[in-house]
Amino acid sequence: MGTNWIGNVLAAVLHALAAAGSMAWEILWPLVLGFALSGVVQAVVRREHVARLLSGDSPRAVAAATGLGAASSSCSYAAVALARSLFRKGASFTSAMAFEIASTNLVIELGLILALLMGWQFTLAEFIGGPIMIVLVALGFRLWMRGRIVDAAREQAEKGIAGSMEGHAAMDMSVSGEGSFWRRLLSRDGLDSVAAYFVMDWAAVWKDIVGGLLIAGAFAAWVPTEWLRAFFLSGDPLVAGLWGPLVGPVIAMVSFVCSVGNVPLAAVLWNGGISFGGVASFIFADLIVVPVILIYRKYYGGKAALGITGIFYLAMVLAGYAVELLFAATGLTPQSRNATVIEASVSWDYTTWLNIAFIAVGAFLVVRFLRNGGLGMLRMMGGEPEPSAHHG
């Protein structure tokens, strides 16, 4: 009996690892492509220019923050650290938060993986719901994050207390100088900068990706779909539509997975019956997982951390409802629940060829990074932030 129990446990673990491995194989090439494109953008956009553009909380400044954030891909921890860095350099609190949201929720690698694992509708929902969430956050900050709270948050931010990924957020390796975009990009400094951003972004996010794949694999292998359908109240579409966006961010908060790492788990939840809007709100919630909330408290103080968390949660829920209603009204809500989770196998198809091609691209960038003393930069990624920035 004991042997059977051990065998069953081993089979269950192998099943979960196989599910995680198959999802990893499916998302490899879009991850490499997304981080490479992100490295290109970061290599030619200087952070000083970004901070100047985000100095107010006008619609124009928030729109600039959204666009620049979407072009500056980060893991959730690095995005939070970078938002504080911009705030200390003169960006408004609202614009810094909009940049933070966009840099994890409106990035190309997230859209590619959503399309590949779940379908193009989820990518469209992300890029429609993300700006809605940012507008709601901006309104929430204008109503509830003013005066003394923001003054206290700035005073706390100026202390420079370390959170996570500080060194990564503080490094600006963009290429300065004259010349066209292509000339700067294809120069030796340009390629070195792309390689550095590519490797460091991977180094920042790989734990989240692996964690997300393992959690998703375990969910897919061990949690009966009937249990999930009962929890998400999928028997009644109206009630499920109301419940999904409320509970989606809560699941994200306690799963501790952020950035693109939560997409595989989102696929499992969708197959398990969570509403379409619930998937959107779950993915948006990478910035209120418990470790990130604790970092907000270090960065901005207790009151500001509570305000950020509350406003973010409300905006995520409302953005989820907006996505649910918009897609239902246009008939774009997916009807089938067959997101790619398990049963995907490695074979000589387009995924394999794309993976081989992009592994070669990634290897080229990694080798270039290491030849330029990259190991020392990696050791500094989690270090202290830059000294307090005085602006005026």
Side-chain angles (χ1 to χ4, degrees):
M1 188 170 180
T3 306
N4 287 340
W5 181 81
I6 294 172
N8 290 337
V9 170
L10 184 59
V13 170
L14 290 175
H15 188 192
L17 290 174
S22 68
M23 282 185 282
W25 185 250
E26 290 291 315
I27 67 174
L28 179 58
W29 73 264
L31 275 176
V32 176
L33 172 60
F35 282 121
L37 291 175
S38 171
V40 167
V41 173
Q42 292 179 83
V44 296
V45 178
R46 294 197 66 80
R47 294 214 179 129
E48 288 82 357
H49 301 327
V50 173
R52 282 202 295 271
L53 289 170
L54 310 190
S55 60
D57 60 358
S58 66
R60 183 176 181 178
V62 173
T66 302
L68 291 166
S72 178
S73 173
S74 294
C75 80
S76 302
Y77 296 104
V80 171
L82 179 53
R84 183 181 66 166
S85 175
L86 292 171
F87 182 49
R88 295 172 72 197
K89 289 177 179 177
S92 72
F93 207 13
T94 303
S95 294
M97 293 298 111
F99 182 95
E100 176 183 301
I101 295 167
S103 67
T104 61
N105 288 296
L106 295 176
V107 292
I108 187 169
E109 60 267 27
L110 180 64
L112 286 169
I113 294 168
L114 279 169
L116 199 64
L117 290 186
M118 304 183 71
W120 64 267
Q121 295 98 325
F122 291 91
T123 300
L124 183 60
E126 186 73 10
F127 286 93
I128 290 175
I132 292 173
M133 178 183 161
I134 288 170
V135 169
L136 292 170
V137 165
L139 292 173
F141 271 54
R142 183 160 287 191
L143 288 172
W144 299 306
M145 297 288 283
R146 300 182 299 174
R148 290 181 181 177
I149 294 179
V150 173
D151 291 341
R154 189 174 289 281
E155 185 179 339
Q156 180 72 13
E158 291 293 351
K159 294 178 181 177
I161 298 173
S164 181
M165 302 307 297
E166 302 290 350
H168 181 43
M171 292 179 189
D172 187 353
M173 301 165 288
S174 53
V175 181
S176 57
E178 301 300 320
S180 66
F181 169 87
W182 289 109
R183 185 172 181 177
R184 283 183 293 155
L185 177 64
L186 296 177
S187 67
R188 171 178 283 186
D189 288 344
L191 290 174
D192 288 344
S193 178
V194 172
Y197 277 117
F198 175 82
V199 176
M200 292 177 69
D201 283 348
W202 263 106
V205 83
W206 75 267
K207 291 180 182 177
D208 283 319
I209 294 172
V210 171
L213 288 166
L214 291 174
I215 291 171
F219 254 79
W222 301 343
V223 180
T225 304
E226 297 76 28
W227 291 11
L228 291 175
R229 286 177 181 159
F231 178 76
F232 293 127
L233 309 175
S234 60
D236 187 328
L238 178 60
V239 175
L242 292 170
W243 175 240
L246 286 171
V247 76
V250 177
I251 297 172
M253 288 172 72
V254 298
S255 73
F256 283 51
V257 179
C258 27
S259 194
V260 293
N262 62 10
V263 176
L265 183 52
V268 175
L269 298 179
W270 172 248
N271 289 352
I274 194 172
S275 68
F276 187 67
V279 171
S281 67
F282 169 81
I283 293 170
F284 293 146
D286 62 318
L287 291 171
I288 57 169
V289 297
V290 172
V292 168
I293 294 172
L294 296 176
I295 292 172
Y296 289 143
R297 185 171 176 272
K298 284 184 180 180
Y299 282 0
Y300 307 117
K303 286 185 178 179
L306 282 174
I308 293 168
T309 304
I311 291 168
F312 275 22
Y313 174 77
L314 182 61
M316 291 160 188
V317 172
L318 294 176
Y321 286 144
V323 164
E324 187 81 40
L325 291 171
L326 283 170
F327 278 68
T330 53
L332 291 176
T333 306
Q335 299 304 309
S336 61
R337 292 182 179 269
N338 55 355
T340 303
V341 178
I342 50 178
E343 314 309 339
S345 57
V346 178
S347 58
W348 288 104
D349 56 9
Y350 79 96
T351 299
T352 299
W353 289 112
L354 286 170
N355 280 344
I356 291 171
F358 281 100
I359 285 171
V361 171
F364 166 77
L365 294 172
V366 169
V367 169
R368 192 174 189 101
F369 175 75
L370 294 175
R371 283 181 174 174
N372 285 289
L375 288 177
M377 294 174 68
L378 285 174
R379 281 193 287 269
M380 292 190 296
M381 280 183 62
E384 293 294 313
E386 78 279 15
S388 179
H390 296 286
H391 44 78

